[in-house]
Amino acid sequence: MKIKKLLAVVLAVMTLALGGVFAACGNNKGEVTVYAPDGAPALALARLMSQEMTFGKEAVDYNIVDATTIQTYVSGESPQADIAVLPVNAAAKVLGDGSVYQMLGVVTHGNLYALGKADSVVLTENNIVSTLVAGTKIGSLQLNNFVGWALRLVLDKYDIDYAVQTDPADYDETKVNLYEVTAAQIIPTADYDYMIAAEPAVSTKVSKTNGQLKVAGDLQALYGVDGYPQAVLVAKNTLIQNDAAFVKDFIAAVDDGADWLLDESTSAKTICEAVMSGKPDGSSPTFTEDNLTKSVIENCSVFFESAADAKSQVKDFLAKLSAVSGMSFSVSDNFFYKG
């Protein structure tokens, strides 16, 4: 009798342990945790949050976090995120070998624009070389991070010689001069010919300055027709392996979400409330009902491109980022989801 009871206890413990393992790997029940940074990447998940999509799971826990912390949710021995959206350079740096996460696809393709004064020439691929002549001054947010690197890639594409200045007082009359600026320094009286910022700040600046500042260039269009891979969707390999149907349904919903964002029946209030539902800390979101227009959404370039379709573009873009940043961003073939 004692042996039978002991066996029963052992079997019960094993069942609980195995249940925990399967839940952690993503079975047909349980909870899946999703993390994305606030801003344009959060828009890629807005429809899923608005409609509380769970895809057959007991729950899908959506979390919209500060952009500076997103990397922490996919790092460490037991990363919190089953699914995450993060910048492609961060994904390459932390997850590039594909051993823990794979890239399901690209969800945003750039939201960077040049601001200029009312009389500034609008930069296009036909006039950028003749407009950005030696001595031109460009102020950029995050000059030594993604924004500044994207700017440098555009300048390199058109063989425009530039100098990165570390001191605002420095100036090279033989080159285009690049300076780091803060959001507060992007004003009509700033001593720059152009200033680089991201949506929705770009549209907000134009609106609040009553036309003294205008959109004077689209970095995505200047880089290429479809922009560049900026934010990517990744999933844990364990989830992909143990719940292929869930992953495919999730991808399909993200793909459909781009049209939902631009549908006239989808209000700014609905989208903002969806994003806010993922911000349990109560912090203010990047997008509000006042600054989230259909034009701003279009300018955020939110649409899904599968890992298979984006693979060569991602590899090419990361190679270029490595060259301009002096850092190494690379990914293995195992990084790309093949489902």
Side-chain angles (χ1 to χ4, degrees):
M1 184 66 70
K2 289 182 178 179
I3 293 175
K4 288 183 178 179
K5 286 184 177 179
L6 179 60
L7 286 172
V9 171
V10 171
L11 287 171
V13 171
M14 289 178 66
T15 300
L16 286 172
L18 287 172
V21 170
F22 290 138
C25 292
N27 58 6
N28 290 328
K29 295 182 180 180
E31 181 179 288
V32 171
T33 56
V34 181
Y35 286 84
D38 195 11
L43 294 180
L45 302 179
R47 174 175 175 252
L48 285 70
M49 292 186 287
S50 178
Q51 298 176 7
E52 299 181 351
M53 293 184 174
T54 61
F55 311 98
K57 292 290 186 181
E58 290 180 2
V60 175
D61 181 25
Y62 297 99
N63 300 273
I64 304 303
V65 299
D66 188 284
T68 60
T69 67
I70 186 61
Q71 197 167 307
T72 64
Y73 298 98
V74 295
S75 304
E77 293 184 4
S78 300
Q80 292 175 252
D82 294 309
I83 295 176
V85 178
L86 66 165
V88 66
N89 54 303
K93 201 73 175 175
V94 181
L95 314 174
D97 64 1
S99 62
V100 181
Y101 290 84
Q102 286 187 330
M103 186 189 98
L104 305 180
V106 179
V107 294
T108 70
H109 303 257
N111 63 335
L112 304 178
Y113 295 84
L115 283 162
K117 298 177 177 63
D119 60 351
S120 296
V121 174
V122 176
L123 301 172
T124 69
E125 60 181 348
N126 295 322
N127 68 18
I128 186 171
V129 174
S130 60
T131 303
L132 298 185
V133 295
T136 299
K137 300 173 73 174
I138 301 177
S140 175
L141 296 176
Q142 300 178 18
L143 182 60
N144 295 305
N145 209 313
F146 191 92
V147 179
W149 299 338
L151 169 61
R152 278 172 253 193
L153 290 183
V154 169
L155 297 178
D156 284 344
K157 176 182 177 179
Y158 297 94
D159 295 322
I160 296 172
D161 201 11
Y162 59 86
V164 178
Q165 305 294 6
T166 56
D167 188 323
D170 291 340
Y171 175 74
D172 187 338
E173 63 182 12
T174 68
K175 300 177 181 180
V176 170
N177 294 267
L178 309 183
Y179 303 87
E180 173 121 31
V181 297
T182 64
Q185 292 173 316
I186 299 179
I187 55 177
T189 56
D191 186 28
Y192 301 105
D193 298 290
Y194 294 95
M195 293 164 282
I196 311 300
E199 285 285 27
V202 170
S203 293
T204 300
K205 289 283 185 182
V206 171
S207 175
K208 289 189 174 181
T209 59
N210 296 315
Q212 294 181 71
L213 287 177
K214 71 177 185 182
V215 177
D218 178 336
L219 260 64
Q220 292 67 234
L222 292 168
Y223 178 83
V225 176
D226 293 322
Y228 43 82
Q230 185 169 5
V232 297
L233 180 70
V234 301
K236 274 184 180 175
N237 292 344
T238 50
L239 180 64
I240 293 170
Q241 292 160 7
N242 293 299
D243 226 335
F246 171 87
V247 173
K248 288 181 179 180
D249 288 345
F250 193 95
I251 288 172
V254 172
D255 193 4
D256 291 341
D259 290 334
W260 179 85
L261 288 169
L262 292 172
D263 194 303
E264 290 300 327
S265 66
T266 307
S267 67
K269 180 180 180 181
T270 297
I271 298 170
C272 291
E273 286 178 348
V275 174
M276 273 301 295
S277 71
K279 294 174 70 69
D281 60 357
S283 60
S284 299
T286 299
F287 295 106
T288 66
E289 290 183 55
D290 292 331
N291 66 22
L292 188 65
T293 64
K294 294 302 180 186
S295 175
V296 167
I297 293 173
E298 286 183 354
N299 290 346
C300 288
S301 303
V302 181
F303 62 90
F304 183 80
E305 185 176 15
S306 71
D309 290 341
K311 180 178 177 179
S312 60
Q313 184 187 23
V314 167
K315 285 197 166 189
D316 178 65
F317 184 69
L318 289 172
K320 291 176 180 178
L321 272 189
S322 298
V324 298
S325 67
M327 303 175 71
S328 177
F329 299 113
S330 62
V331 291
S332 74
D333 288 342
N334 292 332
F335 177 64
F336 297 94
Y337 171 70
K338 300 177 179 66

